[in-house]
Amino acid sequence: MMESIIVNNITKSYGRVKALQNVSFSVEKGEVFGLIGPDGAGKTTMFRILCTLLLPDEGIASVDGFDVVRQMKDIRRRVGYMPGKFSLYQDLTVQENLEFFATLFGTTVDEGYDSIKAIYSQIERFKDRKAGALSGGMKQKLALSCALVHQPSVLFLDEPTTGVDPVSRKELWQMLSMLKEREITIVASTPYLDEVRQCERVAFLSEGQVMGIDTPEVILDRFKGIFNPPRPTPQPLPVMEGSGYPGGESVIEVEHLVKAFGDFRAVDDISFSVKKGEIFGFLGANGAGKTTAMHMLTGLNQPTSGTGRVCGYDIRTQYEDIKRHIGYMSQKFSLYEDLTVAENIRLFAGIYGMKSEEIRTKTEELLRRLNFAEHANDLVGSLPLGWKQKLAFSVSIFHEPGVVFLDEPTGGVDPATRRQFWGLIYDAAKRGITVFVTTHYMDEAEYCDRISIMVDGKISAMGTPEELKRTLNQPDMDHVFTYLARQATRSSD
């Protein structure tokens, strides 16, 4: 077989940090090849070198026979690149984004239409909609269309499915199998193990070095301590006397909640309650309505009709009180990268109205508990991803809120770091903090005390993971989610 990509002893440093150290591998023409490894392993640096966006310090690499240093223009005409953040222009329409990328590569949408028709036709009816208004699955299809419009021979995908629901992820990989039939070489990185298994071979990177290259089964088994670490031990909720239900009092109560935008009901008559100290998973495909529901529960938006209380406060009239009694952490971690660790803690504690002496005492205690004492004055932007994640979660519950809302807090994070994070979640729940979490990782859904799954703005199913698997006769939560999400009738726009 002809080799499409050859990498020989590539090294790249950023100051004292060696992002890549003597990395070597090759990819055959038409192969689906995975670059996998923990956060900070060097995967994105490798992608950027192969796409000619970065120069290596040492070593040589070629794509389709062209050198990444001396023949940049030739390579750029032949590669498509889809980074994790989609690289779309949010304030341009679908059509304008596609035309921009076609022009960038010296072609037209008409000229490249046949190469993207199977994918683009699924979103073409929304061509006048701004990219920023698309769901995650639709952005994914648009970004892939933009990467393919100039008919590349090699496609680089750097964690393209981060923040996308399981059904949309499966759809993307079905599209990639179509591209393989056209002998397009595909190099992909992903934190999802089911996607790793879709590759023909994978290279496992760790701390900038290749630790092994083989089939997914061999690599995942050889490094199972990293890719499948032990599950964190859950803390069962205490059964409160006379309550008939673990956890006793309700911290969140929702009845017949509706949020409409014109004639469209994003949230369509949902009712549920969440108990003190419960870990409640709030799942749904992109566009199902869960983000809109969370905005109402966190005081960012008011309902069209229905009632709800969070920590005893009415979501219609007491939303400012709600904001003071909850914690919130998004996928972006909500930290200020250009402030130090200690400055971030003090800033958020002040926002939550904590007193100076309490802030000082609790800051010292938190830094000790996280083993961050020596890093109190480090800029957050310089921290490893896993550290940022732990800090962001700790800051979100620093004021001991009644409930903490976690909106896809582990998106794009490697399995070992995700398991450590869930240890923090269990510790918070043990202290009586209610955890309301959204996630697209179905192994994390298994860690929740109860789960609700939204479809078309309604709660389609609710119960413990075991109850849902048993009731729907499915082997795991991934199958439960897929079974329910595929019953959706409205498009994920």
Side-chain angles (χ1 to χ4, degrees):
M1 283 288 288
M2 181 180 160
E3 290 174 326
S4 177
I5 298 169
I6 300 173
V7 175
N8 278 324
N9 298 315
I10 288 290
T11 295
K12 179 67 181 179
S13 298
Y14 301 102
R16 290 177 297 172
V17 177
K18 280 207 166 182
L20 296 171
Q21 300 181 57
N22 298 314
V23 171
S24 298
F25 63 88
S26 62
V27 182
E28 294 176 353
K29 182 174 175 56
E31 184 178 15
V32 179
F33 188 86
L35 267 183
I36 63 173
D39 305 309
K43 304 184 296 292
T44 296
T45 298
M46 190 74 252
F47 276 113
R48 291 175 69 80
I49 287 172
L50 292 175
C51 290
T52 73
L53 300 173
L54 265 182
L55 291 173
D57 297 334
E58 298 172 26
I60 57 173
S62 63
V63 177
D64 266 3
F66 295 96
D67 185 90
V68 296
V69 175
R70 292 182 290 103
Q71 297 167 302
M72 289 184 182
K73 288 184 179 178
D74 295 290
I75 289 176
R76 289 175 184 175
R77 283 195 291 268
R78 284 167 172 79
V79 303
Y81 179 43
M82 186 173 162
K85 296 295 179 288
F86 297 144
S87 66
L88 298 172
Y89 290 90
Q90 304 294 311
D91 54 350
L92 294 184
T93 66
V94 168
Q95 180 75 15
E96 287 167 344
N97 265 282
L98 196 58
E99 288 172 350
F100 171 79
F101 280 94
T103 304
L104 202 62
F105 289 106
T107 185
T108 64
V109 174
D110 287 342
E111 197 174 331
Y113 188 79
D114 285 345
S115 65
I116 63 170
K117 182 179 179 181
I119 300 163
Y120 184 59
S121 61
Q122 299 176 45
I123 59 170
E124 193 167 10
R125 67 185 185 279
F126 303 110
K127 64 183 182 181
D128 295 325
R129 182 172 298 182
K130 288 190 175 182
L134 300 177
S135 69
M138 292 174 71
K139 284 181 181 175
Q140 186 186 58
K141 292 182 176 79
L142 176 57
L144 187 56
S145 298
C146 290
L148 292 169
V149 70
H150 62 297
Q151 304 175 63
S153 56
V154 182
L155 183 61
F156 293 100
L157 307 169
D158 189 3
E159 297 192 2
T161 56
T162 296
V164 178
D165 68 78
V167 173
S168 296
R169 290 199 294 109
K170 288 183 176 74
E171 287 178 354
L172 177 83
W173 281 88
Q174 287 165 3
M175 294 176 214
L176 296 183
S177 66
M178 286 165 29
L179 298 179
K180 176 178 168 52
E181 290 172 11
R182 285 160 42 190
E183 291 201 329
I184 293 176
T185 305
I186 297 168
V187 182
S189 69
T190 175
Y192 295 97
L193 300 191
D194 59 323
E195 295 183 359
V196 171
R197 294 187 179 96
Q198 299 277 344
C199 301
E200 292 163 272
R201 288 188 306 140
V202 295
F204 172 49
L205 283 177
S206 182
E207 297 182 349
Q209 298 182 337
V210 174
M211 310 305 289
I213 301 175
D214 215 311
T215 63
E217 292 75 18
V218 170
I219 294 295
L220 292 178
D221 181 64
R222 185 175 159 195
F223 300 100
K224 58 189 172 191
I226 294 169
F227 291 105
N228 193 24
R231 174 175 174 166
T233 307
Q235 299 291 328
L237 285 171
V239 178
M240 301 297 183
E241 189 177 345
S243 71
Y245 192 87
E249 65 184 273
S250 292
V251 179
I252 300 173
E253 295 172 299
V254 169
E255 291 185 10
H256 303 295
L257 203 61
V258 173
K259 182 63 180 181
F261 299 96
D263 294 331
F264 177 70
R265 285 190 165 201
V267 174
D268 190 6
D269 194 7
I270 64 172
S271 300
F272 64 92
S273 63
V274 184
K275 305 295 179 180
K276 180 178 173 63
E278 187 176 10
I279 301 173
F280 188 79
F282 197 60
L283 310 184
N286 297 112
K290 62 185 188 301
T291 300
T292 303
M294 279 188 76
H295 283 172
M296 288 187 281
L297 296 177
T298 54
L300 297 174
N301 215 328
Q302 282 69 60
T304 304
S305 62
T307 61
R309 299 185 78 81
V310 176
C311 298
Y313 297 101
D314 191 311
I315 63 172
R316 281 177 165 279
T317 60
Q318 298 174 294
Y319 37 86
E320 292 304 326
D321 294 298
I322 288 173
K323 290 173 187 175
R324 285 195 292 272
H325 289 83
I326 65 170
Y328 180 81
M329 177 182 166
S330 73
Q331 189 180 336
K332 301 294 182 295
F333 302 153
S334 323
L335 297 172
Y336 288 90
E337 302 259 310
D338 52 351
L339 295 182
T340 67
V341 169
E343 286 168 345
N344 265 280
I345 295 171
R346 283 198 298 272
L347 172 67
F348 284 98
I351 290 170
Y352 287 125
M354 295 175 66
K355 302 227 170 4
S356 298
E357 184 56 32
E358 185 185 12
I359 293 173
R360 189 184 63 77
T361 305
K362 289 195 70 175
T363 297
E364 290 174 3
E365 177 192 315
L366 175 61
L367 291 172
R368 231 181 3 256
R369 193 165 73 243
L370 294 178
N371 295 318
F372 276 19
E374 293 180 8
H375 302 281
N377 296 316
D378 289 1
L379 290 178
V380 162
S382 70
L383 299 179
L385 190 61
W387 289 27
K388 288 182 191 177
Q389 188 190 50
K390 290 177 195 172
L391 178 62
F393 178 72
S394 300
V395 165
S396 73
I397 60 171
F398 192 69
H399 57 306
E400 296 292 324
V403 55
V404 61
F405 290 88
L406 307 177
D407 192 2
E408 295 180 31
T410 55
V413 179
D414 66 78
T417 305
R418 290 198 291 114
R419 299 292 170 93
Q420 291 171 13
F421 184 78
W422 273 86
L424 296 178
I425 288 178
Y426 284 144
D427 287 344
K430 193 163 60 175
R431 302 204 316 260
I433 296 174
T434 300
V435 179
F436 190 98
V437 58
T438 73
T439 179
H440 287 319
Y441 289 98
M442 291 302 105
D443 60 325
E444 294 185 351
E446 302 268 5
Y447 303 162
C448 298
D449 297 311
R450 278 191 310 146
I451 293 162
S452 81
I453 300 179
M454 286 190 75
V455 177
D456 289 348
K458 298 178 182 290
I459 292 179
S460 183
M462 188 184 301
T464 68
E466 292 306 316
E467 285 170 351
L468 293 177
K469 286 183 282 188
R470 186 173 62 250
T471 305
L472 297 171
N473 194 28
Q474 299 294 328
D476 53 39
M477 283 307 302
D478 184 63
H479 282 79
V480 167
F481 184 95
T482 302
Y483 172 78
L484 292 172
R486 285 194 165 144
Q487 295 176 17
T489 56
R490 73 189 191 194
S491 60
S492 63
D493 56 313

